[in-house]
């Protein structure tokens, strides 16, 4: 098979089973509204949970940072790219989350790849929740270590794998809040059994940070645990982009030696660190955004319970409505779109067969009236 044949055949396969992915161009997409082709939709697909992407102080901090430092960092953090703004923001994160150190990464995807690659060796075992994010599972599959997946949020399943005879070290991987079901991991129990087994625990809290816990400290704070490695990302509740790893002094020093995504990649623009720092100040001290989000979640759930669709147990901003068949989910998403509501149908293989769904995400930018309109349209569309 030639290269061209291989590429054509892969594309053909995607088209044949209705899983061909395309991107759509938006004029606006992160906030309360999504604007596409001059049409404005109420946006129920954004991860901008606290509405930070358009916060005036954050925008101003980014602009001022760019004026002071320029738009780029100029190099890897190991060469000339590490600025005082990075250092200050890392310190701010470490203080907020109660860890000795924080290291910035360009994205959550890069952070997860870097950590797993830098830490694991051939004799080791990575024990990850079955529903872990692609960035985690892919990194684990690429690692020379063995990958074992435990049943989603199932402590006995994790326990059984941890008890299995092994040679090297064990790394337990889970998320705080899972992106497709919106449910939370039983972190307190996972931390306890990981510690008892001498395993290192890594928690990716992409969907919990900023939203859960005291001052938005996330899922780990809410469940009163401290993992060995906490990954937080800034593309969701922070409304921007980038990520950080929180850990001990020695783990941070180790990652500075061996995390290739840090060493061989241009550091985050310093102005972005200024913006993130401004976002963190708002996230810590503006409880009203979390309160609005909580109210929106409660409002949506009480209304959605009347729909002929399965509402999942999620208490978070991610509220999937299970439709079942792929085509039915796609049709419902498109009907909702015609009525001015933007949300995505999620289909297998991203979710298990037979559980195609509308993935509704709520944010603090939505008003009670937005939620009422959404519920009304859902009633009409499913009647
Ligand atoms: C979004 C997400 C990531 C990726 O983070 P980016 O900063 O967008 O690369 C990693 N893990 C989880 C669980 C996520 O939801």
């Amino acid at each position: 098979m030639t290269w061209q044949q291989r590429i054509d055949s892969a594309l053909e396969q995607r088209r044949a089973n209705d899983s061909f992915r395309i991107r759509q161009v938006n004029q606006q997409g992160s906030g309360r509204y999504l604007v596409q082709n001059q049409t404005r939709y109420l946006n129920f697909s954004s991860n901008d949970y606290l509405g930070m992407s358009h916060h005036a102080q954050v925008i101003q901090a980014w602009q001022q940072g760019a004026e002071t430092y320029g738009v780029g960092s100029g190099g890897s953090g190991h060469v000339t790219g590490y600025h005082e703004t990075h250092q200050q923001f890392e310190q701010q994160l470490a203080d907020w989350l109660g860890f000795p150190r924080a290291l910035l990464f360009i994205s959550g995807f890069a952070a997860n790849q870097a950590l797993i690659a830098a830490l694991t060796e051939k004799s080791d075992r990575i024990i990850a929740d079955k529903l872990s994010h692609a960035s985690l599972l892919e990194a684990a599959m690429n690692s020379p270590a063995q990958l074992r997946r435990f049943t989603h949020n199932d402590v006995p399943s994790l326990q059984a794998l941890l008890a299995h005879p092994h040679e090297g070290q064990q790394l337990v991987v889970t998320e705080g809040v899972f992106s497709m079901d919106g449910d939370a991991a039983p972190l307190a129990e996972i931390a306890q059994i990981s510690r008892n087994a001498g395993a290192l625990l890594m928690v990716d809290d992409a969907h919990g940070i900023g939203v859960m816990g005291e001052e938005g400290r996330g899922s780990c704070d809410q469940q009163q645990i401290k993992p060995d490695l906490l990954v937080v990302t800034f593309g969701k509740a922070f409304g921007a982009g980038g990520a950080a790893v929180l850990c001990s002094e020695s783990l941070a020093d180790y990652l500075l030696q061996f995390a290739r995504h840090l060493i061989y990649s241009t550091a985050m623009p310093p102005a972005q660190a200024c913006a993130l720092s401004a976002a963190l100040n708002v996230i810590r001290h503006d409880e009203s955004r979390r309160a609005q989000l909580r109210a929106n979640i409660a409002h949506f759930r009480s209304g959605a319970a009347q729909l002929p669709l399965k509402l999942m147990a999620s208490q978070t901003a991610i509220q999937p409505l299970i439709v079942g068949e792929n085509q039915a989910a796609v049709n419902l998403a498109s009907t909702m779109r015609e009525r001015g509501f933007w949300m995505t149908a999620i289909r297998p293989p991203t979710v298990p067969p037979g559980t195609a769904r509308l993935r509704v995400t709520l944010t603090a930018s939505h008003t009670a009236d937005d939620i009422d309109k959404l519920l009304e349209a859902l009633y009409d569309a499913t009647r």
Side-chain angles (χ1 to χ4, degrees):
M1 213 194 265
T2 65
W3 270 109
Q4 195 57 49
Q5 285 165 335
R6 188 198 294 183
I7 289 160
D8 290 343
S9 129
L11 292 175
E12 194 41 55
Q13 214 176 341
R14 276 285 160 101
R15 287 196 183 95
N17 62 18
D18 247 347
S19 59
F20 195 76
R21 296 170 195 261
I22 52 162
R23 298 178 302 173
Q24 282 152 325
V25 186
N26 300 323
Q27 284 87 51
Q28 253 183 64
S30 58
R32 179 178 172 203
Y33 296 106
L34 181 144
V35 180
Q36 197 174 93
N37 293 328
Q38 281 34 272
T39 310
R40 196 179 78 165
Y41 303 86
L42 264 174
N43 185 4
F44 288 101
S45 273
S46 168
N47 294 325
D48 184 17
Y49 299 129
L50 299 176
M52 296 302 296
S53 69
H54 288 70
H55 196 288
Q57 280 164 21
V58 179
I59 294 170
Q60 196 186 26
W62 201 317
Q63 288 169 335
Q64 282 177 354
E67 273 161 32
T68 311
Y69 301 100
V71 293
S73 67
S76 157
H78 284 63
V79 185
T80 57
Y82 188 58
H83 290 56
E84 59 188 359
T85 63
H86 297 117
Q87 189 191 34
Q88 283 158 10
F89 182 49
E90 285 178 346
Q91 188 59 52
Q92 204 184 353
L93 285 168
D95 291 346
W96 177 47
L97 296 170
F99 282 78
R101 291 277 289 275
L103 295 177
L104 292 177
F105 283 77
I106 204 73
S107 73
F109 201 102
N112 286 339
Q113 300 280 309
L115 258 57
I116 288 176
L119 284 166
T120 54
E121 298 175 0
K122 193 162 191 283
S123 57
D124 298 338
R125 287 204 321 185
I126 301 164
I127 309 180
D129 187 288
K130 263 209 165 90
L131 294 191
S132 296
H133 191 260
S135 57
L136 294 164
L137 290 179
E138 222 170 87
M141 283 187 282
N142 290 337
S143 136
Q146 220 179 46
L147 168 63
R148 287 284 175 271
R149 305 196 301 167
F150 62 95
T151 308
H152 176 53
N153 281 348
D154 189 89
V155 174
S157 163
L158 169 59
Q159 182 115 49
L161 287 172
L162 278 169
H164 216 267
H166 65 283
E167 272 176 51
Q169 302 301 322
Q170 305 197 92
L171 174 68
V172 173
V173 175
T174 188
E175 295 179 21
V177 172
F178 285 84
S179 55
M180 289 303 141
D181 289 2
D183 53 346
L187 290 174
E189 288 167 277
I190 289 175
Q192 169 116 48
I193 65 172
S194 301
R195 190 175 327 107
N196 292 347
L200 211 65
L201 173 61
M202 169 175 176
V203 175
D204 174 347
D205 202 22
H207 294 280
I209 198 69
V211 177
M212 327 270 294
E214 189 82 15
E215 290 188 358
R217 292 190 183 96
S219 308
C220 294
D221 174 79
Q222 194 182 46
Q223 297 193 43
Q224 294 292 300
I225 67 143
K226 211 154 263 180
D228 301 289
L229 294 153
L230 170 62
V231 175
V232 298
T233 73
F234 307 128
K236 286 153 187 152
F238 276 70
V245 176
L246 285 293
C247 59
S248 68
E249 290 284 352
S250 57
L251 264 171
D253 285 340
Y254 178 90
L255 291 170
L256 286 172
Q257 315 308 309
F258 301 109
R260 305 172 69 80
H261 298 66
L262 277 183
I263 303 166
Y264 300 106
S265 185
T266 304
M268 170 189 288
Q272 189 178 339
C274 297
L276 290 170
S277 172
L280 177 51
N281 281 330
V282 176
I283 286 171
R284 282 189 82 157
H285 302 116
D286 184 357
E287 188 56 37
S288 72
R289 286 171 187 266
R290 276 183 292 278
Q292 178 69 47
L293 178 59
R294 273 194 301 274
N296 287 347
I297 295 169
H299 186 162
F300 175 79
R301 286 187 65 79
S302 71
Q306 323 295 322
L307 293 169
L309 298 171
K310 185 172 170 248
L311 183 62
M312 298 198 70
S314 164
Q315 296 302 319
T316 66
I318 303 164
Q319 291 290 332
L321 291 168
I322 308 291
V323 180
E325 291 312 313
N326 293 2
Q327 198 53 50
V330 172
N331 291 348
L332 182 54
S334 104
T335 305
M336 291 300 289
R337 216 159 273 187
E338 283 158 20
R339 294 172 189 211
F341 301 88
W342 195 273
M343 60 197 78
T344 356
I346 312 266
R347 292 168 289 171
T350 309
V351 293
T355 71
R357 62 195 68 183
L358 280 193
R359 184 172 178 275
V360 176
T361 56
L362 304 171
T363 75
S365 314
H366 295 125
T367 64
D369 188 50
D370 293 343
I371 312 274
D372 281 333
K373 289 194 176 118
L374 169 68
L375 289 166
E376 254 167 59
L378 280 167
Y379 290 131
D380 283 350
T382 55
R383 242 204 327 237

